[in-house]
Amino acid sequence: MKKIGLVLVVASLWLAANVLAQQQGDIFEALHCGGCHKSDVSAASPSLKEIAGAYQAKEDQLVKYLKGEAGSIVWPADGNLMKRAIEKTKALSDGGRKALADFIMGHGAHGE
Ligand code: HEC
């Protein structure tokens, strides 16, 4: 009986983690960020992997950037291309911005 309980707890934790990752990704999709940013291939825009690498151990700074309170560090010369997207991320709740930052950071070397 104990074993079944443990299996259920593990299964529901696994499910919760997946639902969370899904919701984080939903914000990214809902704001149309994926039209420019791919997971791991940088082209006209840096990939999420490249962004996560640049912000490694600096997620707080990434959250500030998404709030419009910090400058860009990845491709600063192209920073104006993010102006409209930043207007959208500024309008998110603090929790929404954190979830979005978590989603981006999940593409770094220690994520996934
Ligand atoms: C029109 C294309 C486009 C869209 C849409 C877009 N981005 Fe970007 N993004 C770029 C480009 C180009 C850069 C590189 C400029 C830079 O680093 O400042 C960039 C850079 C970034 C960076 C790195 C900033 C830094 O410090 O340099 C983050 C984080 C980011 N985008 C997140 C997002 C999110 C979240 C969304 C959706 C709300 C989004 N982007 C939508 C083109 C886009």
Side-chain angles (χ1 to χ4, degrees), residues 2-78:
K2 258 189 182 167
K3 242 186 190 167
I4 293 179
L6 186 66
V7 168
L8 282 179
V9 168
V10 170
S12 56
L13 282 179
W14 179 83
L15 197 69
N18 275 280
V19 167
L20 187 64
Q22 174 75 38
Q23 286 170 347
Q24 291 167 348
D26 282 353
I27 299 177
F28 190 78
E29 288 312 317
L31 298 182
H32 305 294
C33 314
C36 292
H37 295 286
K38 301 302 167 209
S39 294
D40 50 16
V41 183
S42 297
S45 309
S47 66
L48 295 181
K49 193 175 169 188
E50 181 170 350
I51 294 172
Y55 279 99
Q56 193 169 350
K58 291 189 255 185
E59 186 170 346
D60 288 357
Q61 192 181 336
L62 174 57
V63 171
K64 276 193 187 156
Y65 170 77
L66 295 173
K67 205 172 178 180
E69 292 177 352
S72 72
I73 64 168
V74 183
W75 296 359
D78 291 330

